[in-house]
Each structure stands twice: as structure tokens, then as C-alpha cells.
Amino acid sequence: MGRRIKLTKRLVDAAGAGAKDYFLWDSEVVGFGLKVTRAGLRTYVVQYRLDGRSRRFNIGPHGSPWTVETARDRARSLHGRIVEGEDPQASKVVDRKALTVAQMCDLYLNEGLATRKPSSVATARQDLDNHIKPLIGTKRAALVTPEDVDKLLLAIAAGKTARRAKTGTKRGLSRVRGGKGAANSAISTLGAAFGFAIRRGVRPDNPVRGVRKFPEKKLERFLSPRELARLGEALAAAESLGVENPFAVAAIRLLVLTGCRKNEILGLQRSWVDVHNSCLRLPDSKTGAKVVHLGSAALEVIEAIPEVVGNPYLLPGRGAVGRIADLQGAWERIRAAAGLSDVRIHDLRHAFASLGVAGGDSLLVIGALLGHRTAATTHRYAHLSDHPLKSAADRISQEAATMMGLKVKSDPKPLRADPAIAAPGQGGLLGSVIETKWLDTPAAAAYLGHTVGTLQTYRWMGTGPSFRKIGRRIVYAQGDLDSWRSEGLWEAA
């Protein structure tokens, strides 16, 4: 059993993860100890012998309700039962079959998700606390039927669990919403909890298995080259005029140029950028640690971002402290200026993938660039490639058209649009502030020799030079002003 030492709160709190699981044995109660896993999970245990066999009983994980004192008292109580010939491990199986759904959920959160990320645990806790426990928490877990799950799904979708709940802050309130999306999420979490319960002997089957959830519509928006050009134009104008946080502008550019997820870019630290090998070395992500390969355009954006001394993040937050926490406000203004009101931030990741597929890269390569765990996740982009089904559809449709006497173009429309779609003076799809000069209304009026009022009249009549709206400001590209002036459609004031 090894060396024994009196377990204290300070000793338990200091016990960190090692290369393998290890035990700390208490000197006050024989067989009582602390198990520390490689993942850092600390669990109080009791080691005992019964009928010549060594057995181990898990009391519970360190933390409420199990402290060193309460766990030691529990160990003493178990020793008394063992002396009388009772096997605590066998009794534990019987006790688990009497667990309520709420107790099963707590066991799943404390032990079943012990090795998961805090964000995953928080999401599961919301589903269980907000929806599952209020509706079926008092029911015995062993008696839940698929019919009960069906009714639960409908109840959550109908909004029976919707309410306002207090948060941990002084005046914090959160709104618990029902609906089909919340119902599907809650049932998925419940299914995972029952899967854990099966492994722990609570019941032999999973009542969630076979229950049909509401159909979910996957929102997949792919940006065309023309739309990317408009996005680049809006970003360049916003940065040139200083109407948006330059770090937010850089973040949006990097999302398109790398295909990374939003939090991977917002949480990026400078030490994770490997310029020599043209990659990002992320210690953690949705799919674990990964390497993100970078193109030269992405590296140029990164190298142009000014460093804030003492701040480890690539994209500092407000006041140069911490990192950018939210990109939604800036994105909504930028996408409105680019005429892309239906495009989400996550669609920028789709844009990166769709350009790769349309350019002839295999789904295997695209999946590796995006960091997908399975090929099935990348398969959503299959329809964008020169797929055998696409070739067959083209051949069959042309044959049918010929039979119908229709004229068919000999060469199909190329997947990529004409590169000349880039904004005036811009060399690439995302634009360049250096190559394009942007002027606000007073500067544009002065450049043309007009008054601000004259330009406003032109806009109202729809006869003046092209303009864009960035946030609340009207801006002009110098190239557009020159083109309009060269056409002789203006008169100097």
C-alpha cells in the first residue's frame, strides 16, 4: 500500500497530476486514501479485503460534499460494515439502481465528465439543470422509459422549462429558453448521462436510444468571390478611416485566410505563431492540440499586427488588456457595409474551405487544414468539387438537351469568377488599405472641388460617384472618384 501520511486539505489541494495514476494513503484510517489520475482528478477511496479478495470502493471526488474530514468519516463507517461481513461495493450497485434522475445527472457531471473541457461541462450542466432536473429529476433513473423521453422532448420544445434564472453575479439574470433546439440539446445530453449510467450499473439500457429528435437545419453559407471582394473592400475602408478596431479587422481577415474557428483566432497568443514553419501551434482547440498551416497572406496579416508589450495575445482587448472577447458587433457593421447581412462569422470558415475545394484540393486536405476529426465533417463541401456525380449530371443533362433540340454551351462555366472583380485599386479578394485610398464625405468633396451638400444631393439623386456606408459613415474610394471625374459627369464648384 506504500507509505502512509495524514491527509489534510492542503496536501490534497497540492496533489497534482503525474505521469500515471498514484495514491496517497492516510495514516489515521487504514485503507483510506486519495487516488490522483493522470488527468488530475482526485477521488477518495477505501481499500479493503473481504473473503480473501482485495476490493476498492470509491467514496467520491474531492470537493463538495467530500472533504478530507467527511471522506474520512465515511471510510470509518464503511469499515464498520465490512467487519460485519457486508461488501460496500456490492451494496453500491444496489444503491445506484435506486438513484433518481437528478442524482444520476450529478454523478455524470462529477465523474462522467471529469476529463472533459470546462466549456463542455458547463454546456451539459445547463441542459441538465435547466431542463432535465425540473421535469423528471425526481423520477428513478432505472424506471425512465422511451415514452418518458418523448414527452420530455415535447415539453421542453413547448417552453415548459422557460424561465428567468439568477446567475452568480449580484444582479445577474439569465433567461432559460425552450424550443426545439433546446429540446434536442437536452435530450442529447440526457442520452450521454444514461450511457454513463449503464457503465456504472444503474440500468442495463439507454431509454434515449431510438427517440427521434426534431430535424435540425444546418446553416451553411458559402461566399462567392464577388462577395469576398465586397468584404475585403469594407474591411479596407473601415481600417483606413479608423471607424473599427484594427484588431477586430485583423481578426476577420484571419478567419477567412486560415479557416480557423472564431475562438482559435481571438485567443491566439504570439508564442503560438511559428513564422519559420508558417504555422500556428495551438495547444488546445475544439478537437484538441493542432497545427494550423498558414499561407503567406495570413502571415503578412499577422506580422502587420502591432505588438503590445506585456500582453501575450496577438489581438489585444480594450485598453490593450487581455484579448478581444467579442467580435459580433464589429462583424455586424462590416457585413452590413459589404451587403452580406445573412453571413455569420462561422461562414468565413466555410469560405476558406469552399475556395480550397473549388481550386481542386481534396476533401482529405481540406479536412486536415480545418482540423476535422472525421471525414464525414468535411463531406459537406463535396458538392463544391469536381465530383463524379457532377460530371455525370453534366453529361446526362447535355444529352437530354441535345435530344430536346436545345443549344448547349461547349464549355461549362468556370468555378472561379473573373479575378477582375476586385474592388478598384485592390490587388486581392480581401483588399489592401495601402493600395486603396478611402475618403470620407468632407475629404471626397474637397478632392472633387465640391461642397459636402453637393455630394449629399448627388447621393439623394443617385447620380454621383459610387460610395459605401461603413457603420454610420459614407466613404468613397479614390479610384471611383477619379473614374467619375474622368467621365465628365462633374463640375467643380
Side-chain angles (χ1 to χ4, degrees):
M1 185 173 292
R3 189 170 66 92
R4 295 165 59 187
I5 186 172
K6 182 178 179 180
L7 294 182
T8 63
K9 182 180 183 303
R10 178 177 296 180
L11 181 64
V12 171
D13 289 340
K20 60 181 181 179
D21 296 355
Y22 67 93
F23 293 85
L24 298 175
W25 298 106
D26 187 45
S27 60
E28 293 209 350
V29 176
V30 177
F32 171 59
L34 179 77
K35 178 183 177 181
V36 184
T37 68
R38 285 177 295 178
L41 178 65
R42 294 162 295 181
T43 306
Y44 294 107
V45 300
V46 170
Q47 190 87 12
Y48 63 97
R49 297 187 67 84
L50 191 66
D51 297 330
R53 295 178 56 194
S54 179
R55 306 293 300 273
R56 183 179 300 146
F57 180 90
N58 287 342
I59 296 175
H62 174 61
S64 180
W66 299 115
T67 63
V68 176
E69 291 75 16
T70 57
R72 185 181 283 117
D73 291 341
R74 176 64 169 160
R76 291 191 180 98
S77 174
L78 291 171
H79 274 305
R81 292 164 59 182
I82 294 168
V83 170
E84 295 177 358
E86 181 181 343
D87 187 352
Q89 194 64 35
S91 301
K92 192 172 187 177
V93 174
V94 176
D95 292 342
R96 282 180 175 169
K97 290 183 178 180
L99 287 178
T100 63
V101 171
Q103 291 171 330
M104 178 196 74
C105 291
D106 290 339
L107 187 67
Y108 171 64
L109 288 171
N110 292 330
E111 298 183 18
L113 296 178
T115 58
R116 300 291 294 276
K117 296 181 180 179
S119 58
S120 299
V121 178
T123 299
R125 188 181 301 278
Q126 288 175 355
D127 285 337
L128 298 175
D129 291 348
N130 294 338
H131 304 291
I132 304 301
K133 289 182 181 181
L135 293 177
I136 61 170
T138 58
K139 190 177 183 68
R140 282 182 58 184
L143 300 180
V144 175
T145 65
E147 182 181 1
D148 294 327
V149 180
D150 283 330
K151 292 179 179 179
L152 178 67
L153 178 73
L154 296 176
I156 298 173
K160 289 192 176 180
T161 52
R163 68 186 189 282
R164 290 184 180 274
K166 295 192 68 175
T167 63
T169 59
K170 184 176 180 180
R171 298 182 180 179
L173 283 176
S174 67
R175 185 174 181 181
V176 178
R177 301 178 184 272
K180 295 179 180 179
N184 284 350
S185 177
I187 295 304
S188 296
T189 302
L190 181 63
F194 270 116
F196 171 77
I198 293 173
R199 298 196 301 272
R200 291 303 176 89
V202 176
R203 58 180 293 153
D205 62 339
N206 192 330
V208 177
R209 195 179 190 89
V211 171
R212 295 189 63 178
K213 295 184 289 187
F214 293 103
E216 295 181 349
K217 181 180 179 181
K218 287 187 177 291
L219 300 175
E220 295 180 358
R221 175 72 157 79
F222 301 94
L223 278 74
S224 69
R226 288 186 180 276
E227 290 175 325
L228 279 172
R230 296 208 308 267
L231 174 59
E233 184 179 83
L235 288 168
E239 184 176 44
S240 178
L241 296 168
V243 295
E244 289 294 345
N245 182 348
F247 296 118
V249 171
I252 295 172
R253 284 189 175 129
L254 287 175
L255 288 172
V256 183
L257 296 173
T258 64
C260 286
R261 298 178 178 88
K262 180 184 69 173
N263 288 335
E264 292 171 352
I265 292 299
L266 296 188
L268 186 60
Q269 296 190 22
R270 286 189 171 272
S271 60
W272 301 346
V273 180
D274 185 344
V275 176
H276 177 73
N277 293 296
S278 301
C279 66
L280 304 177
R281 300 187 182 278
L282 305 182
D284 194 18
S285 71
K286 184 178 180 181
T287 54
K290 72 175 185 180
V291 174
V292 179
H293 297 279
L294 298 175
S296 58
L299 277 173
E300 286 183 13
V301 172
I302 290 175
E303 291 177 344
I305 298 173
E307 181 177 1
V308 175
V309 179
N311 191 326
Y313 293 102
L314 180 71
L315 301 168
R318 183 176 298 178
V321 177
R323 66 175 180 86
I324 293 180
D326 183 44
L327 202 60
Q328 192 60 34
W331 171 244
E332 289 179 356
R333 293 187 292 272
I334 291 294
R335 73 179 182 183
L340 303 172
S341 59
D342 64 329
V343 177
R344 305 166 303 160
I345 292 178
H346 192 70
D347 293 328
L348 302 181
R349 180 171 162 86
H350 294 325
F352 176 86
S354 63
L355 286 174
V357 174
D361 297 310
S362 70
L363 295 182
L364 183 63
V365 169
I366 297 301
L369 287 174
L370 296 179
H372 286 163
R373 278 200 186 108
T374 64
T377 308
T378 316
H379 192 70
R380 72 180 71 178
Y381 305 110
H383 68 285
L384 300 173
S385 64
D386 189 14
H387 197 275
L389 292 178
K390 185 176 294 186
S391 300
D394 182 58
R395 175 179 51 79
I396 295 170
S397 64
Q398 287 200 35
E399 185 176 349
T402 301
M403 292 178 180
M404 295 170 64
L406 299 175
K407 293 183 178 181
V408 182
K409 293 181 180 179
S410 58
D411 53 339
K413 182 180 179 181
L415 286 172
R416 290 185 181 272
D418 186 347
I421 59 174
Q426 294 181 327
L429 289 178
L430 288 185
S432 170
V433 178
I434 298 175
E435 296 175 12
T436 302
K437 178 65 176 178
W438 296 91
L439 300 91
D440 59 12
T441 301
Y447 184 75
L448 294 174
H450 280 312
T451 64
V452 171
T454 300
L455 280 185
Q456 290 174 339
T457 301
Y458 280 144
R459 290 200 300 269
W460 177 74
M461 296 176 63
T463 59
S466 299
F467 64 89
R468 286 86 171 154
K469 188 174 183 182
I470 307 295
R472 297 181 178 180
R473 300 180 71 175
I474 301 297
V475 300
Y476 298 83
Q478 184 173 313
D480 290 337
L481 296 177
D482 292 337
S483 297
W484 183 71
R485 183 164 56 182
S486 65
E487 293 172 1
L489 300 177
W490 69 291
E491 293 181 2

